[in-house]
Amino acid sequence: MKKISIALILAIMITSCVSKKKYVALEVENGQIKSELNKTRVEKEDLENKFAAIQARVDNYNKKINSLTEQNDAMLVNVDNVAVISNDTKKAMRKTLQNVDASKLAGAKTLKDSMNLALSYNLNKSMDSSNLDEDEDISIDINETVVMISISDKMLFNTASYRVSNKANDILQKLANVINSEPSVEVMVEGHTDSRSIRTSKIADNWDLSVLRATSVVRKLVDDYGVAPEKLIASGRSYFKPLAENDTNENRAKNRRTRIVILPNLDKFFALMGSNE
């Protein structure tokens, strides 16, 4: 009986020792798992920080790319050594050209020709000149970075007179609207006559008539339509810059004209005209 008791006690002690060893082993394993978990958490946070840094660099690169694209669109390009416009303006010009008569568009061989057509289309639309004979009454062109609007004598004056007639009110109002809508433009009003000599009590010669007609238009634009006088220049060319030989009534009529020379920022000017689409 005594032997059995000793054996039982020994068995209990052995079992207790084994359980304690397992417990300690489990504690160690648990500690290792916690350590691995902490290590994994730190690595995860480190990866998240690295990813955030990479994403920030990507966003920054995309921003720079977009900025370069915008700069490229705004980059100025030379047009046949005549004008300087941006790629944005070229896009707007191409959109406008979709509305231009196909027969006229077929004659455009260069970018300058296309710009002429686009500006002419938009200006005519802005000035609503559909009731005019464009070939005789009003023509629009661009040359050496200026926009030129040529208005026939019969649209503005009575024969041999420098007083602006009432029939000119509509076209001058529309012209004033174009001038007033863009602060940066300057405008030269240039009078032209045919070669037939004129001399009256109030007009000394063709020089006098051409200048008087220019100043009359300038005064009308300032007094009646609110154009800032500092934007305007009045000049006369007499009959020394003819469009045609002064040998027929038809040709002389072409030479009697007032030319409005607008010196704009072409980008702004085209954007202004394009807004009327």
Side-chain angles (χ1 to χ4, degrees), residues 136 248-255:
E136 295 183 3
T248 66
N249 288 335
E250 182 181 356
N251 283 348
R252 283 191 289 270
K254 291 178 181 178
N255 293 331

Side-chain angles (χ1 to χ4, degrees), residues 120-166:
S120 180
Y121 174 86
N122 280 329
L123 270 172
N124 275 295
K125 185 175 180 180
S126 298
M127 297 176 72
D128 190 22
S129 58
S130 57
N131 61 328
L132 305 175
D133 183 337
E134 185 178 344
D135 292 331
E136 295 183 3
D137 293 336
I138 181 171
S139 63
I140 300 166
D141 194 15
I142 175 177
N143 189 35
E144 299 300 332
T145 72
V146 300
V147 176
M148 292 173 286
I149 305 170
S150 186
I151 305 173
S152 69
D153 174 77
K154 66 181 181 181
M155 286 296 301
L156 298 176
F157 309 100
N158 295 320
T159 304
S161 172
Y162 59 85
R163 297 187 185 281
V164 179
S165 65
N166 289 332

Side-chain angles (χ1 to χ4, degrees), residues 7-8 39 54 107 130 132 140 149 152 155 170 172 182 188 223 225:
L8 182 60
K39 182 180 178 181
I54 292 171
S130 57
L132 305 175
I140 300 166
I149 305 170
S152 69
M155 286 296 301
D170 188 45
L172 291 182
E182 177 48 63
M188 181 167 64
D223 295 341
Y225 303 113

Side-chain angles (χ1 to χ4, degrees), residues 1-39:
M1 185 70 180
K2 185 175 181 181
K3 288 181 180 180
I4 293 173
S5 297
I6 292 172
L8 182 60
I9 293 171
L10 288 172
I12 292 172
M13 289 179 64
I14 291 169
T15 302
S16 176
C17 289
V18 171
S19 298
K20 187 173 182 180
K21 285 180 180 180
K22 286 184 177 181
Y23 175 78
V24 170
L26 289 172
E27 282 289 318
V28 170
E29 184 180 355
N30 184 52
Q32 290 175 342
I33 291 172
K34 286 182 177 180
S35 177
E36 289 294 330
L37 181 61
N38 287 333
K39 182 180 178 181

Side-chain angles (χ1 to χ4, degrees), residues 193-251:
T193 71
D194 61 33
S195 62
R196 293 177 298 180
S197 298
I198 182 170
R199 185 179 181 86
T200 69
S201 59
K202 294 183 179 180
I203 302 173
D205 53 21
N206 292 68
W207 280 111
D208 203 14
L209 178 59
S210 64
V211 173
L212 286 170
R213 284 183 166 178
T215 54
S216 292
V217 171
V218 164
R219 288 193 184 98
K220 188 83 170 175
L221 290 171
V222 172
D223 295 341
D224 293 359
Y225 303 113
V227 175
E230 62 270 18
K231 285 184 173 185
L232 300 173
I233 305 165
S235 67
R237 304 298 295 267
S238 186
Y239 58 84
F240 296 105
K241 293 288 286 185
L243 294 177
E245 294 293 332
N246 284 286
D247 53 0
T248 66
N249 288 335
E250 182 181 356
N251 283 348

